[in-house]
Every structure is written in structure tokens, then in C-alpha cells.
Amino acid sequence: KAGVTQTPRYLIKTRGQQVTLSCSPISGHRSVSWYQQTPGQGLQFLFEYFSETQRNKGNFPGRFSGRQFSNSRSEMNVSTLELGDSALYLCASSLGAVGNTIYFGEGSWLTVV
Amino acid sequence: GNSVTQMEGPVTLSEEAFLTINCTYTATGYPSLFWYVQYPGEGLQLLLKATKADDKGSNKGFEATYRKETTSFHLEKGSVQVSDSAVYFCALILNAGGTSYGKLTFGQGTILTVHP
């Protein structure tokens, strides 16, 4: 069974640009959540989607957005990139019910220059 | 709010030594507890989990017991290997809906280095 797949794995962007990251969940999983990992702040929750609806959201500015498609695949977008957005962005999936285990992908490494 | 505190690292051990990484938590509700491991340049892998008090999670020789009375979930392994070198994260998720969906709360991570 394939795991959570994220693309691209590595990317470099310039300040002010925008970026879109993609995530394919484990087959059968309907919940996708996103996390940002930085050395200073650690792992922080961005948002969670289930059946194309955002069910939960962390404390990030509106420049960070996401969506989920009918096949449960998800994308997140960061607009007007800042240097501080450089991070590992992790996608995770689960079946979506309370208590279900959350499985992570390999992550997308974003560098903003 | 919810929080997870892990012992400060890095932890450096010799191969076959005993490992303990302490983890304590505070939670507004009733959580499930997890240990994730991150190898260099990779994402997070689930190591083990426990969903209720006194449950013991185990995997690949690692164990952790959910202690509600001490709000702890310490990770242990009897004999570490060089291949165990990684960053270990303790995490919790509330067993409730709403603002808990998909939201793991992580500790700061503990770097483990095992020397031959």
C-alpha cells in the first residue's frame, strides 16, 4: 500500500512569489492535514481537510491556504513568500475519525531566497 | 492548552546501551499519545502509539506506556543500534472532534546519536 506522497520534494522560490505543494494521501484516507517544520518553531499544525472541507485550522496567516479535491488529494498554497516561510512542509493523512492514526509523507523542502 | 515536553537532547549513547527519552504532557481533554521518528532528510514515521491509560505501545524493540497519573509517555529501548540514530518526537492528539481534527501537538524533538 503506497504511503503519503508529496510533490515536489525540493524547491527554491524568491521572496514575494507563491508556491503550491501537492499531497496524495494513503488510499482510502479522507483526511489530509498539513504541518510546517522549522528549527526554531518545531512542528506546527497548519490545517486539516476532510471530504473537501476544512475542518480545522492552526494559527497561520491567511497567506497559507489549502484545498482538497474529491479524490482526497490536497494542495497547499503560500502566497507572497517571506524568508521565514523556508521550512519542511509535511502532509499527513488518516481515515478521518477521532482517534485514527495519522501518517506522514516525506515532506516538501521549501527554501525562500 | 495542550502541550508536550520532551527531555532536552541531544542524547548520545553507545551501541547496545539502554535508552530512555522522557515525555510528559498536558491536555485539556483525553488524548492519544504517539512517538514519531524522523531520520535525516526524511518525513515522520510512526514508531508507536497508545490510546488509553495503561496501554503499552511497542514496535522495533521500542516501548512506551501511557501513564495517566503522571501524564507521561516515556520511550524506552533495551539495546540501541547505530541505525536508531534519529530525531524522536512525542505527540498527542485529543480524542475529540472540532479543533482536534488532524491536529497533533508535538514536543520539541530529541536527537539521538548512537555510536558503534
Side-chain angles (χ1 to χ4, degrees):
Chain A
K1 195 172 184 179
V4 179
T5 305
Q6 292 187 243
T7 57
R9 289 294 317 279
Y10 305 92
L11 64 166
I12 301 173
K13 292 287 187 179
T14 303
R15 266 184 306 174
Q17 287 186 317
Q18 73 164 7
V19 65
T20 299
L21 308 177
S22 181
C23 173
S24 293
I26 292 171
S27 177
H29 284 192
R30 295 170 63 191
S31 167
V32 173
S33 48
W34 290 88
Y35 290 77
Q36 182 195 64
Q37 185 178 21
T38 60
Q41 299 298 316
L43 283 150
Q44 295 185 287
F45 172 77
L46 282 155
F47 30 66
E48 188 259 4
Y49 287 86
F50 180 84
S51 292
E52 303 180 67
T53 300
Q54 186 181 87
R55 287 195 303 189
N56 200 2
K57 185 177 185 301
N59 297 323
F60 278 81
R63 300 186 297 108
F64 293 81
S65 63
R67 59 177 176 168
Q68 187 180 34
F69 302 96
S70 58
N71 61 359
S72 294
R73 193 176 66 82
S74 176
E75 290 180 346
M76 70 161 282
N77 183 276
V78 188
S79 63
T80 318
L81 284 165
E82 301 176 0
L83 296 179
D85 297 332
S86 295
L88 176 64
Y89 290 89
L90 291 162
C91 173
S93 77
S94 78
L95 291 171
V98 168
N100 287 149
T101 301
I102 294 174
Y103 298 92
F104 285 82
E106 295 291 303
S108 293
W109 290 90
L110 170 65
T111 301
V112 182
V113 297
Chain B
N2 306 313
S3 66
V4 175
T5 302
Q6 293 180 229
M7 64 184 287
E8 290 288 329
V11 174
T12 303
L13 296 172
S14 297
E15 207 165 24
E16 298 184 4
F18 184 85
L19 169 70
T20 300
I21 301 178
N22 290 339
C23 170
T24 57
Y25 68 90
T26 59
T28 55
Y30 191 58
S32 292
L33 302 173
F34 305 85
W35 278 99
Y36 286 88
V37 58
Q38 187 173 37
Y39 298 98
E42 298 185 10
L44 297 175
Q45 295 180 26
L46 176 68
L47 184 58
L48 53 84
K49 67 176 183 179
T51 59
K52 61 183 187 297
D54 299 325
D55 265 2
K56 177 185 281 189
S58 61
N59 185 27
K60 300 180 181 179
F62 291 90
E63 293 183 339
T65 301
Y66 189 142
R67 300 288 188 200
K68 189 178 180 183
E69 63 276 14
T70 54
T71 62
S72 65
F73 192 55
H74 305 321
L75 182 68
E76 296 183 335
K77 186 176 186 183
S79 176
V80 293
Q81 305 300 313
V82 172
S83 57
D84 294 327
S85 298
V87 183
Y88 292 81
F89 292 93
C90 184
L92 70 81
I93 193 166
L94 292 184
N95 290 315
T99 58
S100 299
Y101 283 123
K103 185 178 181 180
L104 285 157
T105 299
F106 286 91
Q108 70 271 35
T110 301
I111 300 172
L112 170 66
T113 303
V114 181
H115 293 297

